[in-house]
Amino acid sequence: MGDLAAEFNSLQALITSGTDLRQPTPAAGWDIGASVSHLIGCDLVAKEAIAAPGEFQRARPATDDGLAELLESHIATRQDLPVEQLRQEWADAFAALLRAFKSTRRDQKVPWFGPPMSPATLATARLMEYWAHGQDVAEALKIVPRPTDRIRHVCHLGFVTFEFCFANRGLAVPASPPRVELRLPSGQPWVRGPEDAHAFVTGDALDFALVVTQRRHRLDAALTCQGEAAEQWLAIAQCFAGPPGPGRQPSEAE
């Protein structure tokens, strides 16, 4: 939980009393306030999934449209809040989520929007969302965030969602995932995938994380692909739940 808390702290530190919540981010249709409101709403939903799984399952939307409406409501109900009130609500929601995580068992399964998952996996998913929206907020504020090795959690989700990326688009899943060999910000290697793979993705962990969270187009990332499975994967990579995301356009097209 320490890495999740650190990701929360690093993002909240960017948003001060003087921040313009209406400042647009690179995510189309999302401003800074919407990004924060989304994180607040999802933290509260995650807390409920842990602490009251029965209530969560009864209220969980049955369709993608229903899920989209729920996520939009998180933003709409907070769109007029002043920045200090939004920050306080955010801190309270995150603290409640951490308390819920501390009450879990390792072998517990938490219901979510998809298959149930362990508390550790849900915490990783929350960290990924914090990191991804943090990239948007930082770019809106013209801040270049210093990457840390916490990015390995995002890379992990990017790798384990290999099959999901294809199935989510109704595509045939390749027989085997590529070998992924990345360099973390500290310089340490991060490696996943079979040693005898026929396809490879190599490069910087930051670029890989930006691609799998759809914060950077594949063509703008310093990643090397070898093999059809690797090329296909990075073109559709998506480590977050929900229908296929539109991703970002190449910088040349902006």
Side-chain angles (χ1 to χ4, degrees):
M1 297 306 156
D3 282 350
L4 174 57
E7 207 63 47
F8 165 81
N9 289 333
S10 67
L11 176 52
Q12 195 183 51
L14 299 182
I15 300 172
T16 67
S17 58
T19 300
D20 177 9
L21 296 177
R22 302 285 80 81
Q23 177 69 27
T25 75
W30 289 60
D31 56 26
I32 292 175
S35 300
V36 173
S37 296
H38 172 74
L39 291 170
I40 293 171
C42 288
D43 281 350
L44 291 173
V45 172
K47 185 264 295 184
E48 181 180 45
I50 296 169
E55 292 180 20
F56 169 83
Q57 288 177 307
R58 283 191 292 274
R60 179 174 56 187
T63 65
D64 287 340
D65 287 344
L67 176 58
E69 290 176 5
L70 173 64
L71 298 180
E72 288 168 6
S73 73
H74 295 163
I75 297 170
T77 57
R78 298 176 176 89
Q79 63 184 357
D80 296 323
L81 293 182
V83 63
E84 287 300 337
Q85 186 176 343
L86 190 68
R87 277 174 51 87
Q88 186 59 57
E89 188 173 334
W90 189 14
D92 292 344
F94 187 76
L97 175 61
L98 286 189
R99 288 194 298 271
F101 272 127
K102 289 176 181 177
S103 72
T104 61
R105 306 181 315 273
R106 280 191 175 185
D107 62 349
Q108 183 175 337
K109 290 297 182 182
V110 181
W112 198 237
F113 302 102
M117 59 182 70
S118 69
T121 300
L122 181 56
T124 300
R126 296 306 306 133
L127 186 151
M128 177 274 297
E129 273 219 276
Y130 266 93
W131 184 84
H133 288 288
Q135 301 305 301
D136 296 340
V137 171
E139 190 167 340
L141 296 173
K142 295 180 170 50
I143 295 170
V144 179
R146 180 175 174 269
T148 73
D149 280 8
R150 294 193 300 271
I151 208 170
R152 70 189 184 278
H153 300 292
V154 183
C155 295
H156 169 74
L157 274 186
F159 179 76
V160 300
T161 51
F162 171 77
E163 292 186 5
F164 164 77
C165 295
F166 290 88
N168 198 33
R169 294 173 180 264
L171 302 173
V173 179
S176 177
R179 175 85 164 173
V180 180
E181 299 178 352
L182 305 173
R183 182 180 58 258
L184 291 170
S186 66
Q188 293 295 310
W190 187 93
V191 180
R192 294 290 187 278
E195 293 184 2
D196 60 349
H198 298 291
F200 295 84
V201 176
T202 59
D204 191 87
L206 174 60
D207 284 294
F208 182 76
L210 288 167
V211 169
V212 298
T213 56
Q214 296 192 350
R215 262 57 190 181
R216 181 174 295 173
H217 192 277
R218 157 78 183 91
L219 296 178
D220 293 325
L223 296 171
T224 299
C225 289
Q226 295 179 341
E228 184 178 5
E231 293 284 358
Q232 290 178 332
W233 177 30
L234 289 196
I236 61 172
Q238 174 179 323
C239 66
F240 49 88
R248 300 283 167 85
Q249 293 299 309
S251 57
E252 295 83 0
E254 293 178 350

